[in-house]
Amino acid sequence: MSKGHVSITVSKRFIGRLAYLPPIQRDLERRADLITAEAQRTGPVDTGEYVSKIETEKVENSPNWRSIAKAPHSEFVEYGSVTIEAHRTMGKAANAALGQSKAK
């Protein structure tokens, strides 16, 4: 090894486990919560069912968290249909939360 150089080998398994560390998990959950709050704040309200069923949840068998709309008609609200205009509530909330997340 030449003077002044360091060689470090890190396994893929080690890198993959980093996301499960408690501080990383807290940050991932916090970011998903930001998306959930923004979607609940800005989502269209007719009966209130759509925004009331937007929640944050841990993805099973994964280090990931997600914000998810669980109302039966959520897909139509997000993507629209022939007769319904797409609102893109979750997509817009994710973009807005990304800006908030960078600020922290």
Side-chain angles (χ1 to χ4, degrees), residues 41-74:
R41 186 182 74 75
T42 60
V45 177
D46 184 18
T47 64
E49 180 185 21
Y50 175 72
V51 294
S52 73
K53 292 192 175 179
I54 297 173
E55 55 190 61
T56 300
E57 69 180 22
K58 176 89 171 54
V59 178
E60 192 174 329
N61 299 317
S62 168
N64 298 320
W65 288 80
R66 67 179 163 207
S67 178
I68 186 168
K70 292 187 170 183
H73 58 289
S74 296

Side-chain angles (χ1 to χ4, degrees), residues 25-39:
Q25 280 295 295
R26 285 191 298 273
D27 188 55
L28 292 171
E29 182 180 15
R30 178 187 66 81
R31 290 168 188 254
D33 283 340
L34 287 172
I35 295 168
T36 297
E38 181 68 12

